[in-house]
Amino acid sequence: MKGSSVPQDREFDLILFGATGFVGKLTAEYLLTAAPTTAKIALAGRSRDKLAAVREELGPAAASWDLVVADSTDAASLAAMAERTKVVVTTVGPYLRYGLPLLGACAAAGTHYADLTGEPLFIHDAIEQFEQTAVDSAARIVNSCGYDSIPSDLSVYEIYRASVADNTGELEDTTLVAYLKGGMSGGTIDSGRAMMEDIAADSGRAKILAHPYSLSPDRSMDPDVGRQTDQALARADSIDPSLHGWVTTFIMASHNTKVVRRSNGLLGWPYGKQFRYREVMNAGTSATAPLVAAGIAGGIVAGMTSGAVLSRVSLGRKLLDRILPKPGTGPDEKARRSGWFTMKTFARTSSGAKYQATFSGTGDPGYQATAVLLGQSGLCLAFDELPERAGILTPASAMGEALTERLRAAGMTIEVARQ
């Protein structure tokens, strides 16, 4: 891939698109405290009045931030916005419905880009349509810069770095166990619906969603390790003797695992030809934990199946509209601050060495913590010296050590220990 430097001679360092939405406002609040005082930042969205109201709520420190009117359905406004800034950070989803025009505008303008997508179909389409454009313009287009999928991606990347430093061989069986307290956002639900509706319209798209290497840069180079499933129901000590209780299916595993495997490919497959990766979720240690684990695993499958069926008919879509959380909604401040997440990743190398990575943070992972993850990703793209890489990228392949250090400085725990 071509070298990729921060675009120069741009009016802004960073534009936050979607600043009037729920997560957009949280990200704006975070940038207010985390960005350099000299940073040139703008808030963008469809309504100047609503943007002005958000800026007013942020207080005097945001008074110098400009306002940019742009609409995801107006290609000219997106192109004009992309050309004015070094980086666009966008919270406007579902990305499958609304994201490709902005991503394409950034790729064409050589503008770096970060989003929060948890939609493999969107990333697949972005690669197909705009990979070469981004490489040619030296744009870093970085998907999944929130709770999906930074903790997953950087945990494996940091274990890989430790294995290289220790000269312990390539990575083999690697499993992430997710522990968290937080709610499911209306935006996340809507992203799932967008993918179900897309599959309902074209059944062939289900194969992309199901294939573990559907985001790979070169399928012929991917590890041949047999079947890899995102469904899980097992005793936790089957992963590592230090764990207790049960684990079950992690709802974001089908997305995060594809991002991690794409990072392996983009980096030149350094994790190894026997790298086998999966993600599960902690289901607890109580006497009822096996039932809880089974219920979650079965419920996720049933929910995806019924959602796909309902998305095929008008009456079903209306029913989903009535029962699911609305986009742009989320928990109150007390609930957001009481949330937390910890991701423990266990890996074995070809020499038999074992590692454990711990990635943890405070605040609801889908909201409070995601605002930090996305905000720091945008600042990293705008201000840091990064690897000479361009195209449709992942957090680890685009920002690697620089983002890890930023997140540590922001209060998150990112550690790797050899067991």
Side-chain angles (χ1 to χ4, degrees):
M1 295 184 179
K2 291 185 178 181
S4 173
S5 60
V6 174
Q8 302 301 313
D9 301 322
R10 298 286 176 97
E11 184 179 354
F12 302 113
D13 295 309
L14 185 153
I15 290 179
L16 175 60
F17 184 56
T20 60
F22 196 89
V23 177
K25 289 179 183 178
L26 293 177
T27 306
E29 290 172 3
Y30 180 73
L31 287 171
L32 196 64
T33 63
T37 56
T38 56
K40 296 174 289 183
I41 294 176
L43 305 176
R46 291 180 296 175
S47 167
R48 180 173 292 275
D49 289 344
K50 290 182 179 179
L51 291 169
V54 170
R55 183 174 62 182
E56 182 70 20
E57 291 174 13
L58 292 172
S64 63
W65 290 6
D66 210 336
L67 307 178
V68 176
V69 176
D71 191 318
S72 58
T73 64
D74 183 347
S77 72
L78 297 177
M81 177 174 67
E83 290 168 359
R84 296 176 70 183
T85 185
K86 297 176 182 177
V87 177
V88 170
V89 170
T90 174
T91 64
V92 178
Y95 295 92
L96 196 57
R97 290 186 194 142
Y98 306 119
L100 282 174
L102 175 58
L103 187 150
C106 289
T111 299
H112 303 326
Y113 162 105
D115 68 29
L116 290 175
T117 190
E119 305 160 51
L121 294 177
F122 168 73
I123 300 177
H124 177 271
D125 292 351
I127 294 166
E128 292 243 316
Q129 297 181 36
F130 299 114
E131 168 75 10
Q132 193 58 52
T133 301
V135 170
D136 292 342
S137 72
R140 293 185 183 91
I141 306 297
V142 192
N143 304 118
S144 304
C145 292
Y147 179 63
D148 314 317
S149 305
I150 285 177
S152 306
D153 207 25
L154 289 187
S155 290
V156 175
Y157 180 71
E158 289 300 315
I159 290 176
Y160 155 70
R161 291 184 64 212
S163 70
V164 171
D166 295 344
N167 193 29
T168 52
E170 298 179 334
L171 303 187
E172 294 188 344
D173 286 345
T174 304
T175 300
L176 178 148
V177 183
Y179 304 76
L180 67 149
K181 177 187 177 183
M184 183 72 72
S185 74
T188 300
I189 294 293
D190 209 29
S191 291
R193 284 190 59 188
M195 288 194 292
M196 287 186 286
E197 289 169 1
D198 193 59
I199 292 169
D202 179 358
S203 60
R205 301 275 279 173
K207 294 181 180 179
I208 298 170
L209 202 59
H211 199 291
Y213 294 103
S214 59
L215 302 184
S216 172
D218 185 346
R219 293 270 188 96
S220 68
M221 293 293 291
D222 286 316
D224 183 11
V225 293
R227 182 172 180 266
Q228 296 182 81
T229 178
D230 296 313
Q231 305 303 313
L233 177 60
R235 294 186 65 90
D237 59 12
S238 66
I239 297 168
D240 188 84
S242 67
L243 300 179
H244 304 285
W246 287 75
V247 295
T248 187
T249 302
F250 181 37
I251 193 168
M252 290 311 304
S254 64
H255 179 74
N256 293 338
T257 54
K258 292 178 178 64
V259 171
V260 170
R261 294 181 192 119
R262 178 166 176 78
S263 287
N264 189 28
L266 291 173
L267 293 168
W269 292 271
Y271 299 167
K273 297 305 289 183
Q274 294 300 313
F275 176 62
R276 185 182 182 90
Y277 182 68
R278 62 175 178 151
E279 295 189 352
V280 299
M281 184 175 71
N282 172 59
T285 60
S286 70
T288 60
L291 296 177
V292 172
I296 292 173
I300 289 174
V301 172
M304 293 179 65
T305 302
S306 61
V309 171
L310 288 171
S311 294
R312 289 187 173 94
V313 296
S314 175
L315 184 60
R317 289 192 293 272
K318 290 179 180 178
L319 177 61
L320 292 175
D321 286 338
R322 294 187 64 179
I323 64 176
L324 295 176
K326 299 297 186 290
T329 62
D332 61 24
E333 182 176 1
K334 181 179 179 181
R336 294 197 306 270
R337 293 193 180 280
S338 69
W340 55 269
F341 74 91
T342 296
M343 316 291 262
K344 296 181 179 180
T345 305
F346 299 87
R348 187 186 71 237
T349 72
S350 54
S351 71
K354 294 182 178 181
Y355 292 88
Q356 178 185 332
T358 301
F359 194 128
S360 63
T362 58
D364 185 295
Y367 296 98
Q368 209 77 27
T370 281
V372 177
L373 294 163
L374 181 62
Q376 288 294 346
S377 295
L379 295 174
C380 189
L381 290 169
F383 297 111
D384 295 354
E385 290 294 325
L386 299 174
E388 295 290 313
R389 190 171 287 117
I392 311 299
L393 305 175
T394 59
S397 64
M399 297 176 279
E401 299 96 312
L403 183 56
T404 297
E405 291 308 312
R406 275 188 169 273
L407 294 174
R408 283 174 175 155
M412 293 191 175
T413 297
I414 308 174
E415 299 173 343
V416 177
R418 186 171 176 180
Q419 293 178 295

